[in-house]
Amino acid sequence: MSEEIGGDSMLNETALSFGEMAELLRDHDWESTSLGAMSEWPPALKFAVELALPSHAQIVMFCGPDFVAIYNDTYPPSIGTKHPDALGRPAREHWGELWDDLEPLLRRVVETGEPVSAKGRQF
């Protein structure tokens, strides 16, 4: 079904073999997002998702020009009823109430390449 990281297909089989989010990621219509088909994702994005999925830390990544949300199994409790609809959707749609605070942080990462911390914030 999928190939190892760096292949032309999807994420590696191990990353997509366990957990609710792995199933949701496999089944999501990524072609309808700004990220496009999973097979077209850059290797760095595939690798980041492979690292995030099995993590026990709450991880959400906002990717692409409209900051599409990708997160792991540990993250949904922090967003409550926004899950699973927030997966694969632009951040502005599901974090609208926080957008004035969140957007500058995300833009800073894109513009400077510097990581940001969201400690004490409701993301």
Side-chain angles (χ1 to χ4, degrees), residues 19-30 32-33 60-62 68-91 93-95:
E20 176 192 14
M21 293 312 302
E23 182 178 341
L24 290 173
L25 279 165
R26 271 193 317 267
D27 295 342
H28 191 76
D29 177 16
W30 293 104
S32 69
T33 74
V60 60
M61 297 179 292
F62 297 107
V68 170
I70 300 173
Y71 48 89
N72 66 358
D73 283 316
T74 312
Y75 187 74
S78 70
I79 58 172
T81 60
K82 293 177 183 181
H83 173 69
D85 295 334
L87 177 68
R89 302 301 309 152
E93 288 182 18
H94 291 281
W95 286 267

Side-chain angles (χ1 to χ4, degrees), residues 14-66:
T14 302
L16 291 176
S17 65
F18 61 92
E20 176 192 14
M21 293 312 302
E23 182 178 341
L24 290 173
L25 279 165
R26 271 193 317 267
D27 295 342
H28 191 76
D29 177 16
W30 293 104
E31 291 183 33
S32 69
T33 74
S34 63
L35 298 179
M38 196 181 286
S39 61
E40 301 298 317
W41 289 3
L45 177 55
K46 291 179 184 181
F47 187 65
V49 172
E50 289 175 355
L51 288 174
L53 280 179
S55 177
H56 294 287
Q58 291 183 340
I59 297 175
V60 60
M61 297 179 292
F62 297 107
C63 308
D66 55 354

Side-chain angles (χ1 to χ4, degrees), residues 75 78-79 82 95 97-98 101-102 118-123:
Y75 187 74
S78 70
I79 58 172
K82 293 177 183 181
W95 286 267
E97 73 281 6
L98 305 169
D101 192 30
L102 180 59
K119 291 179 183 174
R121 295 192 167 120
Q122 297 299 313
F123 308 146

